[in-house]
Amino acid sequence: MGQELRGAAPSRREALGLIGAAAVAAPLAAQAAEPQFPPGAVIRTILKDYAPSELAGGATLFHEHMSTRDGFMTDWLRHSAETREANRAPGTPARPVGPPAAAAGATPEPNFMADEGLMVGEMEAAKREGIGCIVDAGHPDMGRDVAFLRRISQRSGLPIVASAGFYTQPFYPADIGSWSEDRVFEEVMKQVRANPTGALGEIGSWDYITKDERKVFRAIGRVHKATNIPIFTHTGIPGKSALEQLDILEDAGVDPKHVVIGHLGNLADPNTEIQRAIIRRGAFIGFDRQGGAGDAPVVSMAASLIAQGYADHLMFASDFSSPRDLKKNGGAGYAKTLTVFVPKLKAAGVGEADLHKIMYDNPRRFLAFVPKIKRTA
Ligand SMILES: [Zn+2]
């Protein structure tokens, strides 16, 4: 632990020195040695297994979405509004339920995550902007289509990691309450055997963690033990049940270094107590909805954690979901973590070496695993 927990923040003079060094360096140039990976470790993408060093040349995004079923986001927004309403403090005003277009009775927008030509263009743009590998956080209960991901990866040349698991209570199979933990384990193992699977994620609790969600987390811990495949999670706003997620996985025997507890930018706490508690146990934390309007509190939390010596445990991504963010619609595109969020950290004085570590090295350290089962295709 000692080396990772250096503790003291750099002095103002040291910090200024770092800024000066950053100004003359190439953008996010590699400044540290290549991280060490266990012998035999691979990053398992849909098309092939890579040695982790083969993906050193680009940034890796550990939590994005490129394929969901039609209507998934509409359902997601409706469940979010219902949860917000259920949690609303007495006497505070209600907020409108659902997206504005739905409220106005307009025709829903077509699902861009089913438009192959569009998505190939978006992946090509991300690649041009420095992305070397991207993880799709979907699985069957989100309507993720592996064949679609395979085609957009083939056509764009951008390596894509496909995931497995179950998402959160509102999206589980209706009868999951009657399933045993063994049944959940077997269902996830079936997914892992059916497709080349490089991550178990996003595995979530929607609000405070439910009985069924605990069962899924226990089963996912067992799948990890059976396969070595790494795990990333979804927490409800603001970081609800984050510590509990890690408790359950650790109880199942999972080493926290193979876990990202996700969406902790939603827990906007200048003291970063929960974030640091998770890091001290050896897991990564995800600031994974970045590259947009909500960046400001996360920039200061991330800069503070980096100044305290915790850069080895941070993971950045955007959890891409909005058509407004597509290049095609004038948005920043799938690379927005790198092109929008990272520059804000640089402006806040974070050094090149730390940012390189977080965008290029940490996701590969997280994704690299020594397979216990052979890839299927
Ligand atoms: Zn997500």
Side-chain angles (χ1 to χ4, degrees):
M1 265 203 183
Q3 191 203 335
E4 288 164 11
L5 303 178
R6 290 190 288 276
S11 70
R12 179 164 167 77
R13 204 166 142 215
E14 284 165 343
L16 289 170
L18 287 170
I19 296 167
V24 295
L28 293 189
Q31 296 185 0
E34 174 75 349
Q36 293 294 304
F37 298 99
V42 300
I43 294 176
R44 178 155 286 175
T45 74
I46 301 180
L47 299 180
K48 61 173 280 200
D49 287 357
Y50 286 89
S53 58
E54 292 180 274
L55 295 172
T60 292
L61 299 171
F62 87 98
H63 186 148
E64 306 296 345
H65 294 277
M66 285 80 78
S67 170
T68 53
R69 65 173 164 78
D70 294 352
F72 174 79
M73 274 317 296
T74 311
D75 291 348
W76 195 95
L77 290 166
R78 191 185 72 246
H79 288 304
S80 291
E82 286 166 1
T83 305
R84 206 165 51 228
E85 179 62 19
N87 283 312
R88 182 161 62 88
T92 56
R95 285 169 57 187
V97 171
T107 321
E109 285 189 66
N111 177 16
F112 71 87
M113 292 192 200
D115 184 335
E116 186 175 326
L118 181 155
M119 288 301 295
V120 169
E122 297 292 328
M123 294 299 100
E124 286 170 343
K127 201 176 156 191
R128 273 198 305 275
E129 292 182 333
I131 304 303
C133 179
I134 183 165
V135 179
D136 182 273
H139 25 67
D141 63 6
M142 299 157 91
R144 179 277 325 267
D145 178 345
V146 174
F148 179 84
L149 292 176
R150 188 187 297 272
R151 290 196 301 275
I152 64 171
S153 178
Q154 260 159 354
R155 289 181 57 190
S156 66
L158 182 62
I160 295 177
V161 172
S163 305
F166 290 97
Y167 178 35
T168 54
Q169 186 82 52
F171 296 90
Y172 287 160
D175 60 345
I176 201 168
S178 67
W179 294 11
S180 65
E181 183 187 317
D182 284 351
R183 166 91 189 268
V184 180
F185 170 81
E186 279 307 328
E187 295 286 340
V188 180
M189 288 301 290
K190 256 189 243 171
Q191 293 178 27
V192 167
R193 290 188 199 105
N195 299 298
T197 300
L200 301 166
E202 57 184 301
I203 309 300
S205 43
W206 182 255
D207 193 40
Y208 289 109
I209 195 164
T210 66
K211 190 167 167 248
D212 287 334
E213 287 166 344
R214 288 168 189 277
K215 180 168 67 187
V216 169
F217 269 83
R218 288 195 301 271
I220 288 291
R222 288 170 54 193
V223 173
H224 168 83
K225 294 299 286 179
T227 63
N228 279 346
I229 300 173
I231 302 166
F232 63 98
T233 81
H234 161 111
T235 52
I237 295 172
K240 283 176 178 168
S241 303
L243 289 164
E244 219 166 335
Q245 291 184 351
L246 190 55
D247 290 341
I248 298 169
L249 295 175
E250 277 199 273
D251 271 355
V254 179
D255 182 333
K257 74 181 180 197
H258 301 299
V259 176
V260 185
I261 302 297
H263 303 341
L264 291 184
N266 290 331
L267 182 59
D269 168 16
N271 295 317
T272 60
E273 278 150 356
I274 301 290
Q275 287 90 347
R276 283 181 292 120
I278 290 168
I279 288 170
R280 279 196 294 266
R281 287 164 64 175
F284 294 96
I285 61 160
F287 289 141
D288 45 15
R289 286 175 165 169
Q290 305 318 135
D295 284 344
V298 180
V299 167
S300 57
M301 287 194 291
S304 156
L305 290 168
I306 292 165
Q308 291 172 70
Y310 294 123
D312 285 345
H313 292 270
L314 303 189
M315 294 275 274
F316 298 159
S318 85
D319 200 4
F320 201 98
S321 66
S322 170
R324 285 188 312 274
D325 294 328
L326 293 168
K327 285 280 185 191
K328 174 181 172 269
N329 295 336
Y334 276 81
K336 68 191 181 124
T337 305
L338 193 62
T339 57
V340 177
F341 181 60
V342 163
K344 293 177 185 176
L345 286 163
K346 280 194 203 180
V350 175
E352 293 278 327
D354 283 328
L355 291 170
H356 187 274
K357 187 184 280 181
I358 295 166
M359 293 307 302
Y360 291 69
D361 297 347
N362 292 359
R364 292 184 300 126
R365 283 170 48 226
F366 164 66
L367 289 170
F369 72 101
V370 180
K372 285 191 179 173
I373 62 170
K374 282 204 340 213
R375 57 178 296 127
T376 40

